[in-house]
Amino acid sequence: MALSSLHFTPLQFPSLHRCNGRPTNPSRTRAGALREWRDYEDALKDKDLKRALGFLRSIETLQDQNLSTPQSSISDSEHFKGEDSELEWLLRREKNWEVLDACLNADDMKLVAGAYGFLQSRGFLPNFGKCRNIVLDGPRDVNPTYLKSSTGLEASKLSPKKWGLSGSSTAVFVGFFGGVSFLINRGIDIRPNLAAILGLAMIDAVFLGGCCLAQLSSYWPPFRRRILVHEAGHLLTAYLMGCPIRGVILDPIVAMQMGIQGQAGTQFWDEKLEKELAEGRLSCSAFDRYCMVLFAGIAAEALIYGEAEGGENDENLFRSICLLFDPPLSIAQMSNQARWSVLQSYNLLKWHKNAHKAAVKALESRSSLSNVIRRIEEAMAPT
């Protein structure tokens, strides 16, 4: 995916220290601060993560240096006198969250990880990576019987459905062919139009990855709601497992432009997994974490609806990584790993149902990534 190169523009930061033991000119400091925060907002508007993150790191480093210097040991609120100035400082601090909104256009995933690391070090993301090392007690061999006893669901309910085999798509097919038969019986021959529609659908499937059909389907409220539940499952699990999320793409057209054809998608990154694959090895812990995030969408649908319909692409990705093992995993081993992973994700989402619900609501209101993450943290905050 070709993206424009990111350029770091050196910024001049506000004077947050005292010169010769005397405060700097407050009006001058405020003017400089406002100008430089506008530079930060411009970087966010341009989706320039490198420049935005560089600004935040520099301003925080400067504040840390001032606070550690006896001559400058005054609080931020003392720099900006009055209630209005303190509110101004708090509002600027809240803008730290917005650096996550620039992640989607970043082609360097280490920069994305750096944004999450920076916010976590500043106390914004206390639950990021909270469940990185959590694995449920229980057998590694998860047969369909054990899966049902643990979730109350048949294994078939935790598998994605092929289009035309699920309840909703079957109803659509029945209604469609019933309508066609009715029109033909009334003397209205729509077969030429139908042939043209099927031809366009085939072109869409072959050359566009089903993007147009997915775009049309996304306008149907029940289908869109399932997409939101599915993607919120991926997002929350990746977040709890400490995998930086680059973004959530819900518009199939945007997904196609970014190389994710015909699908909504959550883009996350696992540094350990990527490093191990580059070295020609794959540890069980990295593989398990990846599989849990991968099957979290299916688990989320099963948790909310009692069965999963989406997730076919997730299964395809799972099979492709299973083939990287030497020797590759057998069909029986892949099936067991899939059941184990979906069970782990199912229970993780069940434990954090409020956070998942908050993520769904935020995505439903078309909130930015930073706002979705904030809603998750608020839902998980101690009451």
Side-chain angles (χ1 to χ4, degrees):
M1 176 175 55
L3 295 176
S4 60
S5 58
L6 302 176
H7 302 283
F8 176 73
T9 303
L11 301 173
Q12 300 297 320
F13 300 106
S15 301
L16 297 179
H17 59 281
R18 299 187 178 190
C19 299
N20 299 321
R22 293 174 296 178
T24 57
N25 187 323
S27 60
R28 183 178 180 181
T29 299
R30 176 173 293 186
L34 291 175
R35 182 178 63 254
E36 283 130 14
W37 278 98
R38 280 197 294 269
D39 290 338
Y40 172 68
E41 291 175 353
D42 289 341
L44 293 177
K45 188 181 298 183
D46 296 337
K47 302 298 183 184
D48 191 336
L49 178 60
K50 184 175 181 180
R51 185 168 140 219
L53 185 58
F55 173 85
L56 291 179
R57 283 173 171 166
S58 299
I59 202 77
E60 292 287 352
T61 299
L62 184 56
Q63 288 176 352
D64 289 344
Q65 290 174 349
N66 290 328
L67 292 174
S68 63
T69 304
Q71 187 178 356
S72 310
S73 57
I74 59 175
S75 66
D76 292 298
S77 59
E78 289 177 318
H79 290 295
F80 304 102
K81 299 294 183 182
E83 292 182 2
D84 292 341
S85 298
E86 290 185 21
L87 178 60
E88 181 182 304
W89 177 83
L90 289 172
L91 290 174
R92 288 179 192 163
R93 178 171 169 78
E94 289 299 294
K95 282 188 169 293
N96 282 263
W97 284 96
E98 297 178 12
V99 73
L100 295 179
D101 298 332
C103 289
L104 187 59
N105 283 18
D107 55 353
D108 185 354
M109 291 304 296
K110 290 185 178 180
L111 266 180
V112 175
Y116 281 83
F118 172 82
L119 291 179
Q120 189 173 42
S121 69
R122 294 294 165 177
F124 287 94
L125 309 177
N127 292 294
F128 179 62
K130 169 186 175 182
C131 302
R132 184 191 301 271
N133 299 316
I134 293 180
V135 174
L136 295 177
D137 292 332
R140 286 292 309 196
D141 294 329
V142 178
N143 57 42
T145 302
Y146 183 81
L147 185 64
K148 182 179 181 180
S149 67
S150 301
T151 63
L153 301 172
E154 298 284 352
S156 59
K157 299 291 186 180
L158 292 158
S159 299
K161 306 296 186 294
K162 302 292 184 181
W163 177 254
L165 298 180
S166 63
S168 58
S169 56
T170 300
V172 171
F173 270 123
V174 170
F176 175 75
F177 285 112
V180 170
S181 299
F182 174 78
L183 291 174
I184 291 176
N185 290 335
R186 295 293 296 271
I188 304 174
D189 190 359
I190 63 168
R191 283 175 291 185
N193 297 17
L194 183 59
I197 292 172
L198 292 175
L200 291 173
M202 184 172 292
I203 292 173
D204 174 44
V206 173
F207 296 102
L208 299 177
C211 178
C212 295
L213 179 60
Q215 182 72 50
L216 293 174
S217 300
S218 67
Y219 294 120
W220 188 34
F223 184 79
R224 180 170 179 80
R225 178 73 179 181
R226 270 192 179 268
I227 292 175
L228 297 177
V229 168
H230 186 103
E231 297 306 327
H234 284 306
L235 187 152
L236 178 58
T237 304
Y239 185 76
L240 293 174
M241 300 298 288
C243 298
I245 298 114
R246 186 184 179 204
V248 181
I249 306 168
L250 298 174
D251 188 328
I253 297 295
V254 175
M256 183 189 68
Q257 292 171 346
M258 298 191 66
I260 310 172
Q261 291 191 350
Q263 300 290 330
T266 299
Q267 295 192 320
F268 67 96
W269 185 57
D270 190 327
E271 184 175 10
K272 183 179 179 183
L273 179 72
E274 183 177 284
K275 182 179 179 181
E276 290 182 357
L277 289 176
E279 295 173 351
R281 61 187 181 89
L282 185 58
S283 66
C284 291
S285 60
F287 181 57
D288 286 344
R289 183 169 58 252
Y290 177 79
C291 291
M292 284 181 63
V293 178
L294 205 56
F295 282 98
I298 293 173
E301 285 192 54
L303 182 64
I304 301 302
Y305 296 104
E307 67 172 343
E309 289 188 3
E312 186 177 353
N313 278 2
D314 300 331
E315 281 198 340
N316 293 336
L317 283 172
F318 168 70
R319 292 190 190 98
S320 66
I321 200 169
C322 285
L323 297 177
L324 297 178
F325 284 92
D326 188 18
L329 297 186
S330 66
I331 298 297
Q333 289 173 321
M334 283 193 284
S335 298
N336 181 73
Q337 178 68 30
R339 288 191 294 266
W340 181 89
S341 301
V342 78
L343 176 60
Q344 294 283 325
S345 299
Y346 182 92
N347 284 292
L348 187 67
L349 293 172
K350 188 176 180 179
W351 293 340
H352 300 93
K353 186 178 290 187
N354 289 338
H356 179 251
K357 184 178 180 180
V360 172
K361 283 187 175 181
L363 291 174
E364 192 171 26
S365 62
R366 300 181 182 274
S367 295
S368 62
L369 177 62
S370 63
N371 195 45
V372 177
I373 299 297
R374 288 188 69 172
R375 299 290 85 81
I376 288 174
E377 285 292 349
E378 288 170 2
M380 296 180 68
T383 56

